Amino acid sequence: MRTEEDLLTVRHAVRAATLRAGFSIVDQTRVVTAASELARNAFIHGGGGSVTIEYLTLGGNAGLRLTVHDSGPGIRDVDAALTDGFTTGPGLGHGLGGARRLMNDFELHTASGQGTTVIATRWAGR
């Protein structure tokens, strides 16, 4: 992700993946919204990055795992960044915390000067 247009491409790719995985319209919206927030954060705060979409199955349930990575400065205070209302820019401060709530599993790995990676998974119907 290097441009604003890339953010739209991510949204379309994630929407297509949710359709392919058979997610309900509600779960589609959850995953696309989370992906959009995570991608925008990587673009704005991390200077760009990448998004990987993986299809999962577990006990007959479909899932999607999104891995969003940037090589930016890292997140100084992860707890604060996950708190609603916290922002370092013009946004409302719902990005990371909101994305975490929309997904079933959420991991955040960050290191000063080494970037941030978020791994978020949503299972259909959960």
Side-chain angles (χ1 to χ4, degrees):
M1 300 169 301
R2 297 281 174 224
T3 67
E4 288 277 343
E5 291 79 25
D6 292 341
L7 298 177
L8 186 59
T9 301
V10 167
R11 287 181 60 87
H12 288 301
V14 172
R15 171 75 67 195
T18 62
L19 288 169
R20 181 175 167 208
F23 279 39
S24 70
I25 188 70
V26 172
D27 283 341
Q28 290 173 37
T29 302
R30 287 176 177 141
V31 176
V32 171
T33 301
S36 181
E37 292 291 343
L38 295 172
R40 182 162 291 286
N41 276 353
F43 176 71
I44 292 172
H45 302 292
S50 63
V51 177
T52 303
I53 303 167
E54 297 174 78
Y55 294 93
L56 308 171
T57 56
L58 180 65
N61 290 327
L64 287 176
R65 178 179 296 135
L66 307 176
T67 302
V68 181
H69 176 74
D70 69 59
S71 297
I75 300 172
R76 284 188 204 165
D77 186 343
V78 173
D79 291 333
L82 289 168
T83 302
D84 282 345
F86 177 84
T87 183
T88 58
L92 297 175
H94 297 301
L96 284 176
R100 179 174 64 175
R101 284 190 302 279
L102 291 168
M103 303 298 278
N104 297 120
D105 301 304
F106 188 91
E107 298 175 35
L108 189 148
H109 307 279
T110 189
S112 181
Q114 296 181 15
T116 300
T117 299
V118 175
I119 303 166
T121 304
R122 179 85 199 170
W123 297 97
R126 282 195 189 169

